[in-house]
Amino acid sequence: MALADRSLTLGRDEHSGEVLARGGDPEAHSILQRTGFVPVVRLHETYHRLPVALDAAEEKRLAIRAVARLRAVRYHVEADEAFDTETREPHYLPLGSQVAHLAEQIHEATTSAEVSDVLTELTASHDGVLIALGEVLTAAAAFYSDLGQTPDPHTATRLQYLVEHRLGVIWSDLTHMRNDLADRHQDHPQRRACAAEVGPDEREASAVCACPPPPPHLATSPVAPPAAPAPAARLRH
């Protein structure tokens, strides 16, 4: 990862008066968002700002907390003196990282049953990840419906639509795939678990497992696309 992606600036913008954070990579952006910052996406840049209408004390509290959280995971943060701190907050894996670990399990899976088990965590009808996500969106819809501003009922309806017609389709498709894999009882033809055993006919004394090495990655030059065929001559009648 580029060193520049591990560096951020956090301070009050002299033109707008907003507290802004610039730089960093997606992990840093996630930390900022979990500390209350709002992402601002422009054509040539992405940065983060604190929410509008905060008093100065709350802005300072959130900015200091962001600096503490970023530095705790080894980001270099150039902060205004008012926001600088020696405090470091403990860093815990967010819920999204725990869900993303399911992808690692699929990457390492060697049988259809192992992938079926992972997909079960997503699709379980009582407490699967997708069911829980639907409950979160439904709760957000109920919250919006009672806020009282003109766009809020439309936002609530949109959230409910996502639950019923988007998330529902994903859940249905993945459930079908999970059930299909559960019935297959199949080993992946290009993967196998390593038993860390070496056969008696192994020539290399240093070998610790019988798994063959992966095939080398061959660099290839791009091939020019074939020329378009010449237009066919018109038939004369």
Side-chain angles (χ1 to χ4, degrees):
M1 181 174 294
L3 185 60
D5 292 334
R6 303 293 299 180
S7 299
L8 299 94
T9 61
L10 194 154
R12 192 175 298 278
D13 184 73
E14 61 179 342
H15 303 292
S16 67
E18 295 177 302
V19 176
L20 304 179
R22 298 183 183 274
D25 57 10
E27 181 185 0
H29 299 167
S30 178
I31 292 172
L32 287 167
Q33 291 163 24
R34 282 184 161 81
T35 313
F37 281 72
V38 177
V40 180
V41 181
R42 294 288 183 260
L43 181 60
H44 298 293
E45 67 171 341
T46 298
Y47 59 94
H48 289 74
R49 62 168 175 82
L50 283 177
V52 299
L54 296 180
D55 60 36
E58 181 65 3
E59 287 183 333
K60 183 176 181 179
R61 185 185 73 84
L62 293 177
I64 289 175
R65 191 174 194 188
V67 172
R69 287 180 166 182
L70 289 164
R71 287 179 176 167
V73 287
R74 308 274 181 100
Y75 283 97
H76 175 74
V77 184
E78 293 185 11
D80 284 1
E81 184 178 353
F83 306 142
D84 209 351
T85 179
E86 296 299 322
T87 302
R88 302 291 183 268
E89 283 200 16
H91 180 69
Y92 303 100
L93 283 180
L95 181 59
S97 295
Q98 299 177 44
V99 175
H101 181 63
L102 298 176
E104 292 301 319
Q105 295 182 38
I106 293 179
H107 285 308
E108 297 171 0
T110 59
T111 69
S112 59
E114 291 172 342
V115 178
S116 174
D117 288 344
V118 174
L119 294 183
T120 300
E121 293 298 326
L122 296 178
T123 61
S125 56
H126 174 63
D127 51 8
V129 172
L130 293 177
I131 295 297
L133 178 57
E135 292 176 358
V136 171
L137 297 181
T138 299
F143 182 83
Y144 260 105
S145 65
D146 296 330
L147 281 183
Q149 296 189 20
T150 303
D152 295 338
H154 301 284
T155 302
T157 301
R158 177 64 180 174
L159 285 167
Q160 203 60 46
Y161 169 81
L162 293 176
V163 173
E164 297 173 2
H165 300 283
R166 301 291 184 174
L167 189 59
V169 171
I170 295 174
W171 180 86
S172 177
D173 285 356
L174 287 181
T175 298
H176 174 78
M177 297 171 193
R178 178 264 173 194
N179 295 341
D180 171 64
L181 290 173
D183 286 335
R184 285 199 183 190
H185 311 292
Q186 179 182 353
D187 293 336
H188 194 285
Q190 298 179 9
R191 301 183 187 181
R192 62 175 177 172
C194 181
E197 296 177 354
V198 181
D201 57 342
E202 175 61 58
R203 293 184 178 182
E204 301 292 342
S206 60
V208 294
C209 88
C211 299
H217 177 73
L218 300 178
T220 57
S221 301
V223 179
R234 292 188 178 180
L235 297 177
R236 293 185 178 180
H237 298 283

